[in-house]
Amino acid sequence: MSSSPPPADVSAALSVEERREAIVNLVRQHGFVGVEMLAGRFNVTVQTIRRDLNDLSDEGRLARYRGGGGLPSSVANIDYSARQIMNQAEKEQIAKLVARHVPDHVSIFMNIGTTTEAVAAALIHHQDLRVITNNLNVATILSRHTDFEITITGGSVRNRDGGVLGPACVDMISQFRVDIGIIGISGIDTDGTLLDFDYDEIRAAQTILHNARKTYLVTDHTKFQRRPLLRMASITEVSAVFVDKAPPRALTELLATSGTELHIASA
């Protein structure tokens, strides 16, 4: 990866967001950019650039490395503890919107992810839901605050985030036919391919997709910047997409063509 972008050509002061967008563009062009180079290019302090890189990393727009920033990893997800606090307000907006599209007295699949956990918290005032999940955090949220019938799949518990995975998980999900599947994802490619990092997690999500009468994809806007390694499905295979900001135009047009509903929380 190169760390020597072309000389600065910044003729006027940029806003914080303009500078950060320029940093992201440099990372895309060169793979890696150094802190000191960026400070000189934008005529700001090293401390300012470090804040920029930390915030951009929190948003999933680049990966923070020692001495600079680079392309987000395609092989390793951001730590669960960091994902819990990333874009928390946006995830809550999405969750409230999803909850308005879930009626009482229905059955639901919910998979692994911090956005699906936000949806679980938004569903606690519903009535008579049957929830099947491979996410221990979803089960805990709902069991503490509701009298829903909650089923946890079999399988191996992933300690870092409470996900339940493996052949037993997939087999158990396939025994159900539910009204709504609510799934999160780690990344979305420009052609609408849904991407994730873990093969077992993908198999569970695919099984949910195939065994729900309708499927809601819940994702914040930073997932449109991420390119994990493994393919789960196409965004056109879900019934509806719930997001906090409008997707890139090409994806919006793809959803319209395929008949997949698009719900934007900020709208």
Side-chain angles (χ1 to χ4, degrees):
M1 295 186 295
S2 169
S3 58
S4 303
D9 184 22
V10 182
S11 57
L14 301 177
S15 69
V16 172
E17 185 51 42
E18 287 171 336
R19 184 178 67 245
R20 291 179 177 181
E21 185 62 30
I23 291 171
V24 171
N25 288 334
L26 286 170
V27 167
R28 289 173 179 163
Q29 292 170 28
H30 302 280
F32 179 87
V33 288
V35 170
E36 292 185 2
M37 183 284 298
L38 290 172
R41 181 182 182 88
F42 296 107
N43 194 27
V44 295
T45 65
V46 167
Q47 290 75 16
T48 295
I49 291 298
R50 285 175 177 152
R51 284 195 298 271
D52 288 342
L53 294 176
N54 288 336
D55 288 347
L56 289 168
S57 176
D58 288 344
E59 294 171 8
R61 296 166 68 183
L62 54 72
R64 183 72 165 95
Y65 298 106
R66 182 179 178 84
L71 293 172
S73 173
S74 65
V75 298
N77 203 355
I78 300 168
D79 287 344
Y80 176 72
S81 58
R83 286 186 284 124
Q84 280 184 299
I85 59 176
M86 284 174 56
N87 305 309
Q88 189 171 10
E90 290 86 347
K91 292 172 184 176
E92 290 174 357
Q93 281 186 317
I94 295 166
K96 290 176 183 177
L97 182 59
V98 173
R100 294 202 293 269
H101 286 76
V102 175
D104 294 329
H105 317 296
V106 296
S107 55
I108 303 173
F109 281 135
M110 299 185 76
N111 79 337
I112 301 166
T114 54
T115 309
T116 53
E117 290 165 20
V119 174
L123 290 174
I124 62 174
H125 298 296
H126 277 55
Q127 302 294 318
D128 189 29
L129 297 184
R130 172 73 185 272
V131 179
I132 300 96
T133 184
N134 64 328
N135 186 335
L136 293 183
N137 300 312
V138 164
T140 299
I141 291 166
L142 294 177
S143 63
R144 285 176 177 169
H145 299 286
T146 73
D147 59 357
F148 300 164
E149 185 174 346
I150 302 164
T151 300
I152 299 175
T153 67
S156 301
V157 176
R158 192 165 63 186
N159 292 341
R160 67 177 183 268
D161 63 0
V164 182
L165 298 167
C169 168
V170 171
D171 181 67
M172 190 165 178
I173 292 172
S174 67
Q175 304 306 309
F176 292 89
R177 179 70 170 165
V178 305
D179 298 310
I180 301 171
I182 300 175
I183 60 173
I185 199 69
S186 293
I188 303 172
D189 212 338
T190 52
D191 64 355
T193 301
L194 305 180
L195 302 164
D196 226 310
F197 296 95
D198 185 283
Y199 177 75
D200 286 334
E201 190 168 346
I202 282 176
R203 290 290 296 119
Q206 289 172 332
T207 309
I208 289 173
L209 184 63
H210 295 152
N211 288 278
R213 294 182 177 89
K214 62 174 64 174
T215 309
Y216 294 164
L217 176 69
V218 296
T219 180
D220 68 79
H221 69 278
T222 63
K223 305 302 173 60
F224 298 112
Q225 307 285 342
R226 304 182 70 196
R227 304 290 183 268
L229 183 65
L230 299 171
R231 182 185 186 279
M232 195 277 280
S234 168
I235 199 168
T236 61
E237 296 178 56
V238 303
S239 308
V241 176
F242 292 81
V243 66
D244 59 308
K245 294 181 181 178
R249 178 180 294 181
L251 282 176
T252 302
E253 293 173 353
L254 178 64
L255 294 173
T257 301
S258 68
T260 299
E261 297 176 9
L262 174 62
H263 302 281
I264 303 172
S266 61

